Amino acid sequence: PMPMPFRAPYIPGITVLIPHLKEDILTLKEDLYSGTEDTVPLIDWVKARYSDEFEAFTARMQASLQWSADTPKGGVRWSDYTDQQWEAISVWASMRLQTLWRTVAGMSLYHSVLQCHYEAQADERSGLARVDIWDPSDCFTCLVSMQLYRTF
């Protein structure tokens, strides 16, 4: 049997500890694509590993008019992308390559989920469930352990 869910505001605290050694938070264009044919660009590996997500990403960018219709489709000619497009590609790739970014982004989703849970089934009898007291941020903590803080 499935256990009963906790009702707001009686949600236990969640703490996520993220060890961070020395990896870059934002992967730059130079790291993803060097422009030479000597080696396989990292962006090709990321695109192959997350092919469905890359297709959805490029479709989203073209639909939002951030990219023009003549933008190369499917990442076949990396040198044809503009600097603005590379900024978006770098953020997308960083989300898939970098542990800190991915974990913090995932943790930030808890706020809206807990607020939705509160609105759906809060214990109205509790004084802690009053709208002016309830804060979903009190339910979770994200702790980043910087191993080399001096060089960050």
Side-chain angles (χ1 to χ4, degrees):
M2 188 121 162
M4 292 293 295
F6 290 98
R7 291 184 70 185
Y10 309 112
I11 297 172
I14 303 166
T15 300
V16 174
L17 173 65
I18 309 166
H20 181 75
L21 184 60
K22 196 178 176 179
E23 56 189 345
D24 293 328
I25 293 175
L26 178 63
T27 307
L28 302 174
K29 174 186 175 184
E30 295 77 31
D31 300 328
L32 295 168
Y33 176 72
S34 63
T36 64
E37 301 299 322
D38 298 341
T39 60
V40 176
L42 179 58
I43 190 63
D44 280 336
W45 180 86
V46 176
K47 180 189 156 229
R49 174 73 173 83
Y50 301 99
S51 59
D52 293 342
E53 292 181 36
F54 187 78
E55 288 177 26
F57 164 72
T58 55
R60 244 186 352 264
M61 290 294 109
Q62 288 175 340
S64 70
L65 302 176
Q66 291 182 7
W67 290 6
S68 63
D70 61 341
T71 298
K73 291 194 171 47
V76 289
R77 294 185 321 269
W78 296 113
S79 58
D80 292 348
Y81 286 92
T82 66
D83 287 341
Q84 180 186 8
Q85 292 165 336
W86 268 109
E87 284 180 27
I89 292 169
S90 295
V91 169
W92 178 85
S94 296
M95 183 67 167
R96 278 127 194 100
L97 292 171
Q98 214 281 332
T99 307
L100 179 62
W101 188 313
R102 198 171 44 235
T103 308
V104 171
M107 278 291 298
S108 67
L109 299 175
Y110 277 105
H111 191 277
S112 58
V113 170
L114 288 173
Q115 182 62 32
C116 182
H117 180 70
Y118 165 76
E119 292 168 5
Q121 66 178 95
D123 185 359
E124 302 293 332
R125 297 169 294 166
S126 172
L128 296 174
R130 289 192 352 235
V131 177
D132 59 329
I133 294 178
W134 167 254
D135 184 5
S137 300
D138 293 341
C139 299
F140 61 92
T141 305
C142 184
L143 180 63
V144 179
S145 172
M146 305 297 282
Q147 305 296 320
L148 299 170
Y149 184 71
R150 238 205 252 147
T151 61
F152 179 66

